[in-house]
Amino acid sequence: MKMIDFHSFLPEDPIEAKRIFNTLPAEQQLEIVLKTRGKERIHCLFLSEHAEGLVQRLPELEVFLTIKEVGEKDCLDLISLTTAEQFQYLLDLEFWKKDELNPEKILYWMELLLESGEERVIQFIHTSGPEFIGLLLKKFLKVTTADGDPIETSDRIPAFTLDQYYFIRFKEKAARPVFIPFLQTLYRADEEGYRRLMESLIVELDSEMEEIGYRLRNARMTDYGFPGFEEALEIYRFLNPDSLTPERGSSVSRIPGGAEKISPPFYLTFQGEASFLSSVLSRIDDPQEQNRIKTELAALSNKAMVAEPIDIFEIDEMKKVTQKVFHYLNLGLQYVSGEEEVKAREALQSFPLQKIFQCGVGATLLLRSKAESILKEPWFSGNRENLNFLDPPHLEKFEGVLRKRPVFCRDGIPEDFKSLQDFKETRALLEMVEAVTRFLGGKLHVYPKRLKELDQEVTLSTLFLTAWANQTLKGTFQFEPIERGQLKNLFPQIFEKDEQGKGVIKMEIKNRLKNALCSMEADENRRFHLLAFKDFCLDLFEEECGRIRPEEEIDPRFIKGLLIRK
């Protein structure tokens, strides 16, 4: 869903804008509201002569996001119009940090509730239930009775009481100005309910009440598409993307009851994160299919938020998770369709989005399996320390793939795998490392154990370039330190000047090396990757040594890429 500027369809004059907006049917007003965000959404909502009805038709998640984008203090009018279910949803997201209550958030939102007016507080008391209210009070209150032991007080502040029977001490000073007016309203609205709550606060254990409250909260969140942690982890269960083949005529099952509570609009704002997926989705014009995909997308994103998990529901964190969902949906759809849009549409019609997401995740897990297999081969011998012999751009990428949830290192920054191109690039890197280490071990008989005995830092490119330098100087491709005095003979044989005066490797030298490598490696696929590594090494060597002038005294300490005898 593309967000729009309300000025594009409503005049700037507020009176005229209000008049035009109220000529629109309620459904169209709601559609406009959902296509705006933040302050523009608030503006649109309160253009309506029936703002309360419009607010109460908003999906709960959209209410939450609007409040977080604009700020709670600036949304008191909006909060005061929410339904009991919408308000409870806000509290369920705000009050918990994982499985524990967040005291600061509780006090903050109870203050907002009081600022919304007594009518709103009474509605909250009647709809939230004694278990939930008791849970909040238990966090901040300690209650005793006139018949019991005298309650301790501090700072000469007397225990608070409304009936001279139940006496209350506040565990935090900040709780006193918040909960006294709340308790006064509770006492006026339901005196008998007040007494039952006080009794429960005396006899119930904190841990038991919090555990029960957490279970009830999770049950409510399940209705909105936020499952339990174990169920949410299912989206990261390995699914081999090569085993998913679209079948003509098949169709995905519809989402069961409760789907109407899952809110698609927020998640649709991230389509730009995945160009191939977005392109395919834009070509689906069947309203029923569109609705099914929107709802599945929202449900999948909700599961991802639980699986990550998010400690606190904040917009930036929610955005990161939603972006991840789009990235792996995009990768999964590209993988199973071969980047053909017709096949991609067939896949969307044949499989739930969760399966396609799992294919994207599964593709990255195939890469991890490949990396683990290479690590176990004789050259690395299962020792992760030996990965340090990889050159820097390759080391970060290889280590990123080995993570529990593999990441793609882009310019040294770990990110999601966003596309099939990322997958192919990483697979090529792994195959290159495999080919090069097998070649160096088999042809040069060089392994980490020997390299660790050297007093010079070396990488795979150092091994390769040193062997190539020996071939150029002595005719033998072998890994032996280059004598310092031979550098003056090596560079003139290798380099020639380009138009800018920079030293570049002679083409006949490159071709000679290519032919030598082709003769040493019979396997076509490994030969391809070995030649790619050759190009990588020669580029490094040109960058490092191409600017050295013939008359310049060469200091081997500053020559990277070659092992030079000291």
Side-chain angles (χ1 to χ4, degrees), residues 396-412:
E396 290 86 353
K397 289 181 179 292
F398 200 103
E399 289 184 326
V401 176
L402 284 174
R403 291 192 187 185
K404 181 179 180 181
R405 291 184 186 166
V407 295
F408 180 78
C409 284
R410 202 183 314 272
D411 298 324

Side-chain angles (χ1 to χ4, degrees), residues 405-520:
R405 291 184 186 166
V407 295
F408 180 78
C409 284
R410 202 183 314 272
D411 298 324
I413 300 172
E415 296 181 353
D416 300 332
F417 280 82
K418 297 181 179 180
S419 66
L420 192 60
Q421 179 60 36
D422 291 346
F423 171 85
K424 290 179 177 178
E425 182 180 324
T426 304
R427 183 177 61 187
L429 166 71
L430 296 177
E431 291 178 351
M432 183 181 74
V433 171
E434 180 181 47
V436 170
T437 50
R438 287 182 178 181
F439 174 81
L440 295 176
K443 299 297 182 182
L444 299 180
H445 307 292
V446 178
Y447 291 89
K449 182 179 179 180
R450 175 186 170 188
L451 299 176
K452 290 176 181 178
E453 296 172 353
L454 302 173
D455 60 354
Q456 182 175 332
E457 183 179 332
V458 297
T459 62
L460 295 186
S461 64
T462 309
L463 306 184
F464 183 89
L465 290 170
T466 302
W468 169 57
N470 277 303
Q471 183 186 50
T472 304
L473 291 167
K474 305 174 184 177
T476 305
F477 195 83
Q478 61 180 3
F479 181 69
E480 291 294 339
I482 305 297
E483 298 293 340
R484 179 174 179 174
Q486 293 180 312
L487 294 177
K488 287 284 187 180
N489 298 326
L490 176 65
F491 290 169
Q493 293 186 52
I494 292 175
F495 287 113
E496 62 183 1
K497 298 294 183 180
D498 63 8
E499 294 178 353
Q500 287 74 40
K502 179 184 176 182
V504 294
I505 298 173
K506 298 175 183 177
M507 186 56 64
E508 63 265 28
I509 296 293
K510 289 184 177 181
N511 290 335
R512 191 183 308 159
L513 176 59
K514 177 181 177 181
N515 293 335
L517 294 176
C518 288
S519 66
M520 287 187 277

Side-chain angles (χ1 to χ4, degrees), residues 4 24 28 70 79 87 98 114 137 162 172 175 195 205 212 214 236 269 302 332 360 375 395 424 431 472 546:
I4 59 176
L24 302 174
Q28 193 172 349
V70 177
I79 293 170
F87 190 69
K98 291 188 177 179
L114 292 171
L137 295 177
L162 288 168
E172 298 181 18
R195 292 193 178 96
L205 297 175
I212 293 171
Y214 185 63
Y236 287 112
T269 64
N302 287 356
L375 184 60
L395 174 61
K424 290 179 177 178
E431 291 178 351
T472 304

Side-chain angles (χ1 to χ4, degrees), residues 57 133 162 235 259 287 330 359 368 381-382 429 464 470 485 500:
R57 293 187 63 189
I133 296 175
L162 288 168
I235 66 172
N330 189 65
C359 284
R368 188 182 71 188
S381 302
L429 166 71
F464 183 89
N470 277 303
Q500 287 74 40

Side-chain angles (χ1 to χ4, degrees), residues 283-332:
R283 287 168 171 73
I284 296 176
D285 50 17
D286 176 36
Q288 186 177 12
E289 190 68 7
Q290 287 177 345
N291 186 62
R292 192 267 302 176
I293 290 175
K294 289 176 183 178
T295 306
E296 284 191 19
L297 177 58
L300 177 60
S301 298
N302 287 356
K303 288 181 179 180
M305 288 183 195
V306 176
E308 282 304 306
I310 295 179
D311 286 349
I312 300 176
F313 279 83
E314 296 290 350
I315 289 181
D316 288 344
E317 293 299 313
M318 296 172 74
K319 284 181 177 179
K320 288 179 184 178
V321 175
T322 303
Q323 287 168 338
K324 180 186 291 288
V325 169
F326 271 90
H327 295 157
Y328 286 98
L329 277 174
N330 189 65
L331 171 57

